[in-house]
């Protein structure tokens, strides 16, 4: 814009402190950073540390968008953002949000991209030029006349990026742009972003949990701790590998390579080349294990596992049961139609008691539909879903609830009462005098004892999630069905939830869970069902399915580690999908490892 | 009303659409009812009052009721048997929402004023309904039925809407939409206006 | 929390063809008339339906709207047939359900047409019910003729372009159209989630309770979504200036003025003349039903 704007950095935050209305502390608290052309700054931090708030401030939206007191300065191209009138910041900075549907305003792709330039009162020829340019940049030029809703999730998010680019601002702020997307969609988004950084035309401030993708473009990493202060700032490798312990303590997601290094360190193995991505990890493992002949994807039964997971979910049925027991859940030719479409097409599968079954598939594959049928949320046709040999369609709602607990993706949808306690009491037989004790027990188990009298909506995101799981567990069901429960959670909360599920499983609860996080599936699930277009593309143990090509076929691709293994073509690592296996291989292959193996709890 | 912030604007729209989504379910119910028991159709007319009252109670700003009702009617119109008739009806209802508060110069937002307003609105709707439904020979029972169903349902629905707004407020929803009259922290500026208020003698939030 | 569209069908925002599309592709003529012209054309007659007290005026209004719908809208043949047959049927049903409420003293002297349980239907009551029913049907048809041939987006844009409604209101409305499928999906999910928690049961009270308990999370989600959309819109310079470039114009042509003017004139003529035909129509109808009743 002005001469000054060209000389000054795109974004300068100077000791930025933001205190939300009614909040006791500032989040972020005293953050200074700069972003310039050709830079992509990745901002990390645990949930609630103020990343989104900071992003809004950086986008020049703050005094207007939220009730918050802003201290410190936000300079956009050298201009003070807080003094810019409404809409004027858009010439300097554009923002892309997490939910593509919450930022699309119009009814065609074309109009959507033109929306910003129209607001800026540009003339039609210029708008046309910008729309074409922006759509070409994100690979949507051929979809101009389409309605946004017919694009895939990834397509819509690229559309949002195009809409941001069309504003002509050199700085892009992206707040978890791929959190809603399946892996293929996420990859497409970063494919669109990479050239902008490489070309030196744009600067990016990025908030992202999916580090394996984000590290493709990040030139710098800034990490905040729980209180919203900077704990690390520097080049990605320096911060992520060098300061991993602090980051982990703060509850920040770490790249897979770093997590592996940390696990190895716990085994007494030091990895010197500090791998970040899965590819680097595999490269470093491959170096340590040239052609190791007997690598097994999963430990054999009885083989000691030198890590913190003593139980091997794939091979071991819960105590006291034979692997040959009847399936807990059997689905036979389940077809679901709605609105003239076939959502599930002849789906058959079985779930062993005590299994942890993951349901994966691209957006719209029918995962939620399947879970709803399994949980009896939407009554399946007679004779299609059997729970412990009983037809789910014939169970009364009451009896169904005793057997299956269902956790919806958005916990708020499930809450019915005004207090956390009442929420848990709902559905428990009145008259039962052990109720109070049982509720107290649940509350303390889920860390909600203090908040018993709160309104459920006022809990933190993690608290709401725990409460929603709690409500599903009140009646002690055999089967727990969860729809993308780790979505949008930080590492600490996701781990907490997975630990909880692990504990439930040890007590004999069978778990079925839909998720987009394939690495999570690799690490925690025992079985996996791959859905695409309402059909089962593959089902079986995680090892079997990941070894096949079903994930590639449906466009998901393998989880990062397995993908890297395949790309590296290291014969000794074939079939490796789980971090702890990688760690095990590495520690076994190094001389000092076996000495320390027993040290793990 | 020109200076409403985008946030307030979209909140009104959202309340309106949520209302419209509920209307649409009701439009067909109402359609059937209006054929079988036309004089009791009034019982469903009150539903048109819900979004505006929820918005007024949550947002407590001049124009919120009218805006929300207008949005609700507009958004509902493609799905309604009477199309833009729904929009026009909603506009009129929006005006009815605003009147009592306008008379109170937008200083009172207490439930009793909602109650009084809705009873007055009931008179207007039952008057209009009577104008449409009455003819030379309508019997007393019919007149009473029409008046009661059209006259009472705005009141009932307003009470339901107040309950809803309270439940929402208790859940912390819509916090910060009100012009900060009761805020503990002194707010030096009007946080939700896109531009400084012009020619408005009363500055909110400075108490 | 994530709020991706879920649970519902594909997120399609239904709308009718815009004026520009209609003119470019030569859709039937009502689609090519400016939305405001249609509003101006139909509104006086709609208002008249509240005021007139005779059989002939609503009959003329119904006949005229049916003629316009059949010749001017792109409804499918089946829908047109449905409207043409449905309108008189609805009027007939209304004439009975309204007619039975007539004051017995006033109508008791006229022939009894039918006895519906405890309710007698007399000729005079039926005729009066029919008159009210016809007026209601006329209002719906007049609204239908404007509504079924107008794009909601065009209507909003014409409010901004011709009636000078501030564009921020108009665009808020356009953005809000996209809320509909999302909130519907959300409502469906909430209902499911509540069913899982054992909410439900039979009877009107349980029904009302269920409605209210789904309304709270729906409104909460709606308001949160609104916050996000508002921020996203401001991030894209919404409200930057008093004006904005408008690429989609809804032009008002001379023919639109003509259409509106002629319609208003015809309305005036109909309202002035038609009531005098009332007695004739009533007598003919009375002959029809009582004649049928006797034979
Ligand atoms: N509108 C608001 N009003 C009051 N407090 C808020 C508001 N938005 C956020 N907060 C609070 O401010 C803090 C920072 O929130 P923010 O959304 O910026 O965190 P975040 O780092 O983006 O978290 P996440 O990873 O969960 O997205 C949190 O404690 C949050 O509860
Ligand atoms: N009631 C319905 N009527 C019509 N279509 C529906 C209905 N419910 C879902 N769909 C469609 O069925 C498909 C499968 O939906 P579902 O929610 O099960 O997918 P999913 O695999 O859970 O996707 P995501 O990863 O986005 O959560 C989607 O395209 C959805 O739009
Ligand atoms: Mg955030
Ligand atoms: Mg889903």
């Amino acid at each position: 814009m002005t001469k000054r704007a060209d000389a000054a950095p795109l974004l300068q935050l100077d000791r930025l402190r933001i205190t939300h209305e009614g909040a006791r502390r500032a989040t972020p608290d005293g953050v200074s950073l700069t972003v310039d052309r050709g830079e992509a700054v990745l901002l990390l931090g645990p949930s609630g540390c103020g990343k989104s708030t900071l992003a809004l401030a950086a986008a020049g939206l703050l005094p207007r968008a939220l009730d918050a007191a802003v201290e410190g300065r936000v300079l956009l191209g050298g201009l003070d953002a807080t003094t810019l009138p409404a809409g004027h910041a858009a010439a300097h900075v554009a923002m892309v949000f997490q939910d593509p549907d919450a930022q699309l305003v119009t009814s065609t792709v074309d109009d959507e991209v033109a929306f910003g330039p129209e607001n800026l009162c540009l003339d039609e020829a210029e708008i046309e030029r910008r729309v074409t340019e922006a759509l070409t940049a994100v690979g949507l030029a051929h979809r101009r006349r389409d309605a946004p809703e017919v694009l895939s999730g990834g397509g819509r998010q690229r559309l949002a990026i195009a809409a941001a680019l069309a504003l002509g601002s050199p700085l892009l702020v992206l707040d978890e742009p791929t959190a809603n997307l399946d892996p293929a969609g996420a990859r497409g988004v970063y494919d669109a972003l990479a050239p902008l950084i490489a070309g030196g035309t744009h600067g990016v401030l990025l908030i992202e949990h999916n580090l394996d993708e984000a590290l493709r473009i990040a030139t710098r990493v800034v990490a905040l701790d729980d209180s919203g202060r900077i704990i690390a700032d520097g080049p990605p490798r320096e911060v992520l590998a060098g300061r991993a312990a602090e980051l982990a303590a703060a509850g920040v997601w770490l790249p897979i390579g770093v997590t592996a290094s940390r696990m190895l360190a716990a085994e007494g193995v030091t990895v010197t080349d500090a791998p970040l991505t899965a590819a680097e990890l595999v490269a470093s493992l491959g170096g340590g294990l040239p052609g190791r002949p007997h690598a097994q994807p999963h430990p054999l039964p009885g083989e000691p596992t030198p890590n913190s997971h003593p139980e091997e979910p794939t091979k071991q049925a819960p105590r006291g049961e034979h692997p040959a027991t009847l399936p807990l859940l059997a689905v036979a030719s389940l077809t679901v139609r709605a609105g003239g479409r076939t959502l599930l097409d002849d789906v058959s599968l079985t779930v062993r008691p005590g299994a942890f079954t993951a349901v994966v598939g691209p957006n719209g594959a029918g995962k939620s539909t399947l879970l709803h049928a399994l949980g009896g949320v939407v009554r399946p046709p007679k004779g299609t879903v059997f729970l412990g040999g009983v037809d789910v369609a014939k169970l009364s709602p009451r009896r169904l609830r005793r057997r299956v607990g269902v956790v919806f993706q958005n916990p708020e949808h499930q809450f019915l009462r005004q207090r956390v306690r009442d929420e848990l009491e709902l559905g428990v037989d009145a008259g039962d005098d052990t109720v109070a004790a049982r509720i107290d027990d649940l509350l303390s188990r889920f860390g909600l004892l203090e908040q018993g009298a709160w309104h459920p909506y006022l809990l933190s995101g993690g608290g709401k999630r725990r409460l929603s799981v709690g409500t599903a567990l009140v009646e002690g069901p055999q089967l727990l069905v969860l729809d993308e429960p780790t979505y949008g959670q930080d590492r600490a909360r996701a781990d907490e939830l997975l630990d909880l599920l692990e504990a439930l499983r040890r007590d004999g609860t069978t778990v079925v869970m839909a998720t987009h996080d394939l690495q999570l599936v690799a690490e925690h699930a025992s079985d996996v069902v791959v859905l695409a277009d309402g059909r089962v593309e593959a089902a079986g143990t995680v090892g079997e399915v990941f070894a096949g090509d079903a994930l590639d076929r449906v466009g998901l691709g393998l989880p990062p580690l397995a993908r890297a293994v395949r790309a590296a073509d290291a014969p000794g690592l074939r079939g490796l999908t789980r971090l702890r296996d990688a760690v095990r291989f590495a520690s076994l292959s190094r001389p000092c490892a076996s000495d320390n193996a027993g040290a793990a709890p | 009303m020109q200076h409403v912030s985008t946030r307030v604007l979209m909140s009104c729209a959202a309340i309106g659409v949520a209302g419209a989504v509920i209307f649409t379910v009701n439009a067909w119910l109402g359609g059937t009812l209006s054929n079988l028991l036309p004089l009791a159709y009034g019982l469903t007319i009150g539903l048109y009052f819900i979004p505006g009252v929820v918005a007024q109670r949550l947002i407590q700003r001049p124009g919120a009721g009218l805006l929300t009702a207008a949005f609700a009617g507009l958004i509902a119109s493609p799905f309604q048997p009477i199309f833009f008739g729904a929009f026009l009806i909603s506009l009129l209802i929006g005006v009815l929402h605003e009147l009592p508060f306008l008379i109170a110069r937008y200083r009172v937002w207490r439930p009793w004023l909602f109650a009084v307003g809705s009873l007055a609105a009931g008179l207007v709707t039952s008057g209009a309904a009577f104008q449409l439904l009455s003819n030379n020979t309508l019997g007393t029972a019919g007149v009473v039925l029409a008046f009661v169903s059209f006259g009472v349902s705005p009141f009932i629905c307003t009470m339901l809407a107040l309950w809803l707004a309270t439940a929402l407020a208790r859940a912390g929803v819509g916090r910060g939409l009100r012009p900060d009259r009761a805020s503990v922290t002194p707010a030096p500026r009007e946080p939700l206006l896109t531009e400084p208020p012009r020619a408005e003698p009363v500055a909110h939030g400075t108490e | 929390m994530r709020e991706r569209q879920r649970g519902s069908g594909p997120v399609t925002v239904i709308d009718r063809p815009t004026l520009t599309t209609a003119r470019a592709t030569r859709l039937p003529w009502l689609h090519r008339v400016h939305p405001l012209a249609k509003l101006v054309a139909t509104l006086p007659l709609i208002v008249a339906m509240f005021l007139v007290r005779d059989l002939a005026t609503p009959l003329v209004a119904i006949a005229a709207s049916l003629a316009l719908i059949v010749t001017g809208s792109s409804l499918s043949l089946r829908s047109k047939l449905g409207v043409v047959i449905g309108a008189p049927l609805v009027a007939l049903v209304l004439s009975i359900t309204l007619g039975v409420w007539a004051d017995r003293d006033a109508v008791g002297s006229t022939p009894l047409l039918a006895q519906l349980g405890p309710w007698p239907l007399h000729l005079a009551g039926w005729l009066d019910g029919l008159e009210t029913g016809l007026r209601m049907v006329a209002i719906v048809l007049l609204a239908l003729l404007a509504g079924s041939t107008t794009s909601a987006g065009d209507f909003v844009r014409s409010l901004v372009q011709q009636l000078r409604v501030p564009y921020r209101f108009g665009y808020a409305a356009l953005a809000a159209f996209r809320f509909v499928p999302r909130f519907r999906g959300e409502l469906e999910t909430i209902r499911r989630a509540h069913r899982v928690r054992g909410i439900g049961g039979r009877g009107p009270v349980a029904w009302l309770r269920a409605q209210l308990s789904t309304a709270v999370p729906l409104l909460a989600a709606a308001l949160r979504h609104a916050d996000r959309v508002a921020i996203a819109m401001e991030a894209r310079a919404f409200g930057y200036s008093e004006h904005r470039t408008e690429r989609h114009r809804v032009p008002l042509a001379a023919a639109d003025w003509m259409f509106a003017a002629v319609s208003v004139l015809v309305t005036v003529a109909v309202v002035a003349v038609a009531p005098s035909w009332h007695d004739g129509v009533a007598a003919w109808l009375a002959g029809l039903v009582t004649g049928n009743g006797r034979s």
Side-chain angles (χ1 to χ4, degrees), chain A residues 104-444:
Chain A
L104 300 183
V105 192
T106 66
S107 50
T108 66
V109 167
D110 222 13
D111 288 347
E112 192 56 42
V113 183
F115 181 77
E118 284 179 340
N119 288 330
L120 292 171
C121 298
L122 301 176
D123 63 61
E124 282 191 48
E126 171 67 9
I127 294 177
E128 186 54 35
R129 196 186 64 70
R130 287 195 183 189
V131 169
T132 312
E133 203 177 284
L135 283 175
T136 311
V138 300
L140 285 174
H142 58 296
R143 310 290 304 260
R144 293 185 68 140
R145 305 272 162 244
D146 284 339
E149 48 272 6
V150 306
L151 301 180
S152 67
R156 270 177 284 163
Q157 201 59 312
R158 279 182 285 137
L159 173 59
I161 293 174
L165 290 176
L167 287 164
S169 36
L171 176 66
L172 285 181
V173 177
L174 301 114
D175 190 354
E176 304 193 31
T178 65
N180 283 10
L181 307 183
D182 57 38
R187 232 168 291 143
V189 166
Y190 282 94
D191 288 341
L193 287 174
L196 303 175
I197 310 295
T201 51
H202 288 76
V204 165
L205 177 63
L206 174 66
I207 299 167
E208 178 63 279
H209 289 314
N210 184 348
L211 296 179
D212 276 286
E213 289 294 344
L215 286 174
R216 282 169 54 192
I217 65 164
T219 60
R220 215 167 85 235
V221 172
V222 175
L224 306 181
D225 67 3
D226 194 39
S227 60
R229 297 200 188 90
I230 293 190
I231 50 171
D233 179 359
R237 190 171 308 275
E238 211 169 274
V239 170
L240 290 168
R243 315 284 294 278
E246 287 148 275
L247 299 190
V252 175
W253 288 102
L254 289 172
I256 190 162
V258 177
T259 313
S261 307
R262 283 171 50 75
M263 288 167 78
L264 282 171
E267 304 291 328
V269 180
T270 333
V271 184
T272 40
D273 46 0
L276 284 189
T277 60
E280 290 172 11
L281 173 66
V282 168
S284 97
L285 287 181
L289 307 161
R292 200 182 130 81
H294 301 300
Q296 294 285 338
H298 292 286
L300 296 169
E303 206 182 65
T305 42
N307 60 45
S308 56
H309 292 267
E311 242 178 308
E312 176 44 57
T314 315
K315 303 292 176 194
Q316 271 183 336
R319 284 178 304 274
E321 289 194 72
H322 284 283
T325 43
L326 285 172
L328 174 70
L329 187 69
V331 180
S333 297
L334 171 65
T335 297
V336 175
R337 292 199 183 82
R341 299 177 49 199
T342 304
L343 309 185
L344 288 180
D345 188 3
D346 198 18
V347 167
S348 301
L349 46 97
T350 55
V351 174
R352 295 178 284 114
F356 183 148
T357 305
V359 180
V360 301
N363 292 131
K367 300 183 292 296
S368 303
T369 312
L370 176 63
L371 295 196
H372 288 178
L374 297 187
V377 176
V378 176
R379 203 146 276 254
K382 281 205 182 73
T384 55
V385 180
F386 296 89
L387 185 63
V390 183
D391 190 345
V392 164
K394 290 186 185 147
L395 282 176
S396 74
R398 185 94 220 152
R399 303 225 327 265
L400 192 59
R401 290 294 69 83
R402 295 233 171 94
R403 291 161 192 242
V404 198
V406 184
V407 179
F408 281 65
Q409 190 195 327
N410 181 349
E412 287 189 4
H413 286 162
Q414 283 188 289
F415 298 151
L416 286 163
R417 292 293 148 95
Q418 316 263 351
R419 296 191 325 153
V420 169
R421 251 199 111 76
D422 301 350
E423 202 62 61
L424 289 173
E425 267 165 27
L426 185 79
V428 179
D429 285 328
D432 184 350
D433 48 351
T434 62
V435 169
R438 237 165 80 206
I439 303 287
D440 278 338
D441 177 47
L442 273 172
L443 282 175
S444 61

Side-chain angles (χ1 to χ4, degrees), chain B:
Chain B
M1 261 186 65
Q2 268 276 16
H3 314 301
V4 221
S5 72
T6 311
R7 184 174 178 213
V8 168
L9 205 57
M10 294 317 292
S11 296
C12 289
I15 297 173
V17 174
V21 165
I22 299 170
F23 286 171
T24 333
V25 178
N26 177 70
W28 308 108
L29 185 79
T32 319
L33 189 62
S34 69
N35 276 323
L36 297 181
L37 203 53
L39 301 176
Y41 173 58
L43 287 177
T44 63
I45 198 102
L47 288 174
Y48 285 82
F49 282 76
I50 291 182
V53 173
V54 170
Q56 282 186 305
R57 179 78 178 149
L58 273 185
I59 299 176
Q60 304 198 348
R61 287 166 187 273
L66 177 57
L67 258 183
T68 306
F71 280 129
L74 192 62
I75 306 297
S77 60
F79 311 99
Q80 291 265 328
I82 51 170
F83 291 89
F84 295 109
F87 177 54
L88 298 177
I89 295 177
S90 297
L91 269 188
L92 296 178
I93 289 178
V95 172
L96 292 180
H97 282 319
E98 293 299 325
L99 279 178
F101 298 92
L102 182 70
I103 292 167
R105 306 182 69 206
Y106 293 113
R107 296 201 179 159
V108 187
W109 295 98
R110 310 210 53 86
W112 66 263
L113 191 52
F114 282 96
V116 170
S118 67
L119 287 171
L123 283 180
V124 177
T125 51
S126 55
F130 195 66
Q131 187 61 42
L132 177 65
L133 290 174
S134 81
N135 46 39
N136 314 319
T137 55
L138 190 61
T140 341
V143 173
V144 169
L145 184 57
F147 258 107
V148 168
S149 78
F150 281 87
V152 164
S153 84
F155 175 76
I156 295 174
C157 288
T158 297
M159 292 301 121
L160 287 180
L162 289 181
W163 181 87
L164 272 178
T166 312
L168 286 168
R170 208 174 305 151
V173 177
R175 231 190 264 164
L177 285 173
R178 297 180 184 183
D180 256 333
R181 233 171 303 262
S183 166
V184 247
T185 45
R189 67 202 148 75
E190 173 71 282
L192 288 168
L193 298 186
T194 48
E195 288 146 324
R198 286 178 213 147
E200 267 190 4
V202 199
H204 301 301
T206 40
E207 305 165 14

